[in-house]
Amino acid sequence: MSRVPAAATVLAVETSCDDTCAAIVTGDGRIRSNVVASQGLLHERYGGVVPEVASRRHLEVAGPVIEDALERAVAGLGDVDLVAVTRGPGLIGALLVGLSTAKAIAAARRLPLTPVDHLHGHVVASTLAPDPIEPPYLCLVASGGHSFLARVDEPERYEVLGRTLDDSAGEAFDKGARLLGLPYPGGPAIDRLAREGDPTAFEFPRSRPGSGLDLSFSGLKTALLYRSRELGEQATRQRAADLAASYQDAIVGALLARTREAIEQTGLRRLAIGGGVAANSELRGRVRRLGEEIGCEVSIPDFSLCTDNAAMIAGAARFLAPIAFPGYLDLDAYPRAA
Ligand code: KG4
Ligand code: ZN
């Protein structure tokens, strides 16, 4: 399956949004280090990621983060056999910092380089050690930028079976959190607050657009807006935990319903989840229970492999053909999904 020798050392760099990430992974999928320098606090005061601020911070910390990843893996640049890097989709300025850095490291040592699609990384995060999932499997990817269900027959590619027609699940969490006065990023904040609330306290719409496996979350966010207006500021604050729990229940319920349908339609007996929203405790619990209920093998990656990270980029690079030096020097980043 892997195109990279089992013992090869892959250095991966990921800078598609607001996390500066570097990892060292072996060709057989063992993670020797996985470093993430989060810019969360830097963007918190703006209530979301400011692209130019993100690019500048990536420039400052990319070098130290890569050094840290090498140090934690007890390796040096001389040990690296292959450089992998996220080429898109994401914030173009942020992507270019990672791509230029990776090219420079690879070119200086005449190493091959593998450009990786960020979403492919999320899709194959579960194929990494210690408990790799084997294709064919169904993958639910729910992140800040994307939400989709994919069929993976071979790890080098995936087929999207259904996707969100408007907001991603992560956006629904982030925008909902903002309406509830919670800090950015909203997903973890809602996840925490929902534990103290009643998920049946409020009714939220569960829209199921079309007849396929598509998703939609924008109506949900609007419903929360109207609900908080009806309640008024004080009652919204007082009942924030119930609102968070009910709102989270609606998002997770919609994801689960489509996942169940996809399993029924495809007949696939393995399921993996990925993307930042896969760190949600309610989603993780319900996916696990779904697997037990319908006898489907479920792979729920460690939190560090759900939110953005470079190990998943190295993970995907194992299945792709590397580009030999100097073929990658004029490679460009792409902001939108390929
Ligand atoms: O995959 P990711 O780190 O970045 C993108 O590729 O977009 O996903 C970030 C998203 C954010 O919207 C964040 O609020 C959400 O993942 N998220 C969560 C949780 N942790 C992160 N959503 C719900 N519950 C969580 N525990
Ligand atoms: Zn992501």
Side-chain angles (χ1 to χ4, degrees):
M1 242 173 16
S2 178
R3 289 187 184 229
V4 177
T9 299
V10 184
L11 163 66
V13 178
E14 145 68 45
T15 61
S16 65
C17 191
D18 62 339
D19 292 321
T20 318
C21 318
I24 302 290
V25 175
T26 53
D28 56 4
R30 280 176 298 120
I31 302 170
R32 291 173 55 192
S33 66
N34 190 17
V35 177
V36 178
S38 173
Q39 299 184 9
L41 290 174
L42 188 63
H43 299 279
E44 190 184 348
R45 77 185 93 157
Y46 306 110
V49 177
V50 182
E52 188 56 27
V53 173
S55 313
R56 285 166 192 264
R57 181 52 67 94
H58 284 311
L59 263 180
E60 285 164 14
V61 301
V65 164
I66 291 167
E67 274 169 25
D68 192 20
L70 286 165
E71 210 167 286
R72 284 168 196 260
V74 198
L77 275 178
D79 301 312
V80 174
D81 300 301
L82 170 71
V83 179
V85 63
T86 306
R87 194 178 167 201
L91 303 171
I92 192 73
L95 286 163
L96 284 170
V97 175
L99 186 58
S100 312
T101 305
K103 279 183 195 174
I105 290 172
R109 295 183 175 270
R110 306 293 190 259
L111 292 173
L113 180 140
T114 304
V116 175
D117 183 274
H118 179 81
L119 300 172
H120 189 199
H122 280 306
V123 168
V124 299
S126 288
T127 64
L128 288 162
D131 198 12
I133 194 169
E134 290 282 332
Y137 64 91
L138 179 78
C139 189
L140 168 68
V141 173
S143 74
H146 304 85
S147 292
F148 61 91
L149 277 157
R151 181 190 176 108
V152 186
D153 289 305
E154 308 282 348
E156 66 265 34
R157 69 180 72 89
Y158 60 95
E159 180 194 349
V160 175
L161 304 176
R163 57 158 57 90
T164 181
L165 302 177
D166 39 59
D167 290 350
S168 69
E171 269 177 290
F173 271 107
D174 294 339
K175 290 175 179 174
R178 201 195 279 209
L179 287 171
L180 295 175
L182 300 172
Y184 171 86
I190 289 193
D191 194 345
R192 272 193 303 276
L193 185 61
R195 283 175 209 157
E196 297 152 30
D198 173 7
T200 64
F202 294 95
E203 190 78 48
F204 282 106
R206 277 142 211 257
S207 104
R208 309 174 77 180
S211 54
L213 293 168
D214 288 335
L215 295 149
S216 165
F217 293 104
S218 66
L220 194 54
K221 168 197 68 193
T222 313
L224 179 63
L225 174 69
Y226 287 138
R227 198 38 72 86
S228 70
R229 276 193 193 150
E230 279 159 29
L231 288 168
E233 216 172 292
Q234 201 186 349
T236 297
R237 249 201 320 274
Q238 277 166 356
R239 305 209 54 195
D242 284 345
L243 283 165
S246 304
Y247 186 71
Q248 171 175 275
D249 188 64
I251 299 174
V252 172
L255 292 170
L256 253 287
R258 281 308 199 208
T259 303
R260 184 191 279 266
E261 283 168 30
I263 291 171
E264 282 162 7
Q265 282 178 26
T266 58
L268 290 168
R269 303 317 300 160
R270 293 192 197 107
L271 167 67
I273 58 173
V277 178
N280 182 266
S281 54
E282 177 71 15
L283 179 68
R284 294 168 83 86
R286 277 167 72 174
V287 164
R288 206 170 279 126
R289 290 199 290 280
L290 174 70
E292 284 162 10
E293 185 193 321
I294 61 176
C296 178
E297 189 188 315
V298 165
S299 173
I300 300 176
D302 188 72
F303 292 104
S304 58
L305 293 175
C306 292
T307 46
D308 286 348
N309 66 89
M312 69 179 191
I313 300 304
R318 292 179 301 145
F319 308 121
L320 302 170
I323 304 174
F325 175 83
Y328 47 78
L329 288 177
D330 58 356
L331 215 60
D332 218 344
Y334 53 86
R336 273 173 235 299

